[in-house]
Amino acid sequence: MSETADSRETIKSSEIEPSFKYELSKMHGGEKILRCFQCGTCTSDCPVARFSETYRPRTIIHMAQLGLRERVLKSNTLWLCAACFTCTDRCPQGVEVASVIRVLRNLAAEEGIAPAVFKEQAFCILDSGYAYKIPELRIKKRETQGLPPLPKGNPKNLRKSLTGVKFLEIIKKEREQQNEQ
Ligand code: SF4
Ligand code: SF4
C-alpha cells in the first residue's frame, strides 16, 4: 500500500478507468462527485490536511475523477480522514467530500485493501466485541480502584449481525491463510 496519495507519480494511460467516476456517482454519497471543479476549498479547510504533508481531500477527489481507481484505493492517505464533514459543509459545489471518501474506503475494504491496523481492529471486534484488546493490567487496576468490571462484549451476536460483510470475509480468509503457513 502506498504511503502518499501518489499524486506526483506519472500517470500511465493503462491506469485510467474512465467509468470509475460514473460508478462512484451512482453510489450513496458519491452522487455529486462530477460537480467538483478543483477549487481546493476542501483541502484548505480540512483539519487533517493542516497537519499532514500528504493528505489532500481535493487530490483524492481528483484521482477518483480521473479514473485512477487502483491508485486511490491503495492510497494510505484515504484512511487519514477524520470524517468531521467540514469539507462537505464548505464545498461550493455541494460535493459530499467526506461521503466520497467513505465510499472509496468501502470499495477498498471490499477488495481487502485496508491498513493492517484496521484489520487488527476488525479481528478484535470479532473476537472480543471490543474495538481494541483491553490489557489485563488495566482490568486489574480497575479492581484495585474499586471500579465495577467492564461490561462483557458479545462477539457471538456481533459475528452474527456482521455475516456477509465482504471486508470481514476477506480478512477472515487472510487470517486462515496466515495460520496455515
Ligand atoms: S471544495 Fe468541492 S469543488 Fe472544491 S476541490 Fe473540494 S470537492 Fe472540489
Ligand atoms: S471529513 Fe475528512 S477530508 Fe473532510 S475536512 Fe474532515 S478530515 Fe478533512
Side-chain angles (χ1 to χ4, degrees), residues 42-43 45-49 55-58 60 80-88 97-99 101 105:
C42 50
T43 291
D45 288 336
C46 171
V48 177
Y55 183 67
R56 300 287 179 264
R58 181 185 72 87
I60 289 174
L80 293 177
C81 172
C84 69
F85 286 79
T86 307
C87 49
T88 300
V97 188
S99 301
I101 292 169
R105 282 176 171 180

Side-chain angles (χ1 to χ4, degrees), residues 32-33 35-43 57-59 61-62 65 87-88 90-97:
K32 295 168 193 156
I33 189 172
R35 291 190 192 172
C36 171
F37 56 15
Q38 288 292 301
C39 67
T41 305
C42 50
T43 291
R58 181 185 72 87
T59 308
I61 301 288
H62 198 198
Q65 278 188 328
C87 49
T88 300
R90 306 272 164 84
C91 174
Q93 289 293 89
V95 180
E96 294 178 63
V97 188

Side-chain angles (χ1 to χ4, degrees), residues 135-148:
E136 277 302 314
L137 197 67
R138 191 171 303 171
I139 293 170
K140 285 205 178 100
K141 198 165 180 192
R142 287 183 68 88
E143 283 171 18
T144 58
Q145 302 282 323
L147 292 168

